[in-house]
Amino acid sequence: MQYQIASYEDETAYKKLFYCVFPSLQNHAFAILQSRQLAEEVVSDVLIEVWKRRATLMEIENLRLYLFVSVRNGAIKKLQQEKKSTRQQPIYELKVELISEYIQPDAIVQLSETTQQIKEAVQQLPPQCKLIYKLAKEDQLKYRDIAALLQISVKTIDHQLAIALKKLAEKLSLPRKQKK
């Protein structure tokens, strides 16, 4: 898609990109802004800027990471403009709402109890754990991309995910693998 947008100014490819990344980017912005409307504005602005600068799009090595970083920066800038906070919080202290755009209606009925238990367990995770879990498991970013986005080491990502998964397993009473 990136190549088609940059080289051929392909509006269809751009629309595909837009609809593919918009929900995840909006959830990421919402985690920072706590406002669906402001999150939508920030993501729309970032994606419009991508279209405006489509000629230079091939210079971006990892478009998905670029979009997440741009949304984070746009959301923080919007927060400052809105003056909702007197001090800038580290990103790992921000409240994260987990929303998945991939769940099918029939699966919701079948898995509603388990899904609710997982959501409750995730909400009880420490803030940084919760954010890293969301980015890795829900948004499916690579560890190195999360590290770049949050400006922390890959080892920290690995450690925080291990903590998150251990706590989730305990809350959900999942059997743990025995060490040999």
Side-chain angles (χ1 to χ4, degrees):
M1 277 190 274
Q2 185 175 351
Y3 177 76
Q4 289 176 287
I5 296 167
S7 300
Y8 303 110
E9 297 186 2
D10 187 342
E11 288 183 37
T12 304
Y14 173 75
K15 286 178 185 175
K16 260 187 186 177
L17 172 71
F18 186 95
Y19 289 114
C20 182
V21 299
F22 191 88
S24 293
L25 293 175
Q26 185 181 25
N27 289 339
H28 184 60
F30 179 77
I32 297 167
L33 295 166
Q34 296 302 297
S35 165
R36 287 273 170 221
Q37 182 179 355
L38 292 177
E40 188 175 318
E41 285 177 30
V42 167
V43 174
S44 294
D45 290 346
V46 166
L47 291 172
I48 288 169
E49 197 61 31
V50 165
W51 179 251
K52 286 180 183 176
R53 297 178 184 221
R54 61 190 172 273
T56 62
L57 209 52
M58 289 310 296
E59 295 171 12
I60 300 169
E61 187 176 320
N62 185 335
L63 183 60
R64 187 169 170 85
L65 177 61
Y66 173 84
L67 292 172
F68 270 91
V69 170
S70 296
V71 166
R72 179 198 64 193
N73 293 341
I76 291 170
K77 185 177 179 181
K78 181 69 79 174
L79 259 183
Q80 291 168 343
Q81 289 172 351
E82 295 291 319
K83 296 183 182 176
K84 286 186 177 183
S85 175
T86 56
R87 70 173 183 91
Q88 187 175 342
Q89 294 177 308
I91 195 164
Y92 60 83
E93 286 183 7
L94 297 172
K95 182 180 173 194
V96 177
E97 179 181 309
L98 298 171
I99 299 172
S100 177
E101 63 269 16
Y102 302 109
I103 298 176
Q104 299 295 324
D106 58 325
I108 290 173
V109 172
Q110 293 173 350
L111 301 172
S112 64
E113 187 174 309
T114 305
T115 302
Q116 187 59 36
Q117 288 175 338
I118 292 170
K119 284 182 180 180
E120 289 171 7
V122 168
Q123 288 303 323
Q124 293 175 7
L125 291 173
Q128 187 173 21
C129 257
K130 190 184 332 180
L131 179 60
I132 291 170
Y133 179 86
K134 177 198 173 300
L135 291 171
K137 301 301 180 186
E138 184 178 316
D139 295 330
Q140 298 179 345
L141 289 178
K142 295 177 182 171
Y143 286 16
R144 71 173 184 266
D145 294 342
I146 298 169
L149 180 66
L150 300 180
Q151 300 173 339
I152 55 179
S153 74
V154 173
K155 288 234 182 239
T156 302
I157 303 295
D158 194 36
H159 180 70
Q160 289 293 315
L161 277 174
I163 291 170
L165 294 174
K166 180 180 176 187
K167 288 183 184 247
L168 291 175
E170 288 170 0
K171 294 280 184 195
L172 299 171
S173 301
L174 298 174
R176 290 193 291 193
K177 293 180 182 177
Q178 297 295 323
K179 291 185 179 180
K180 293 182 183 179

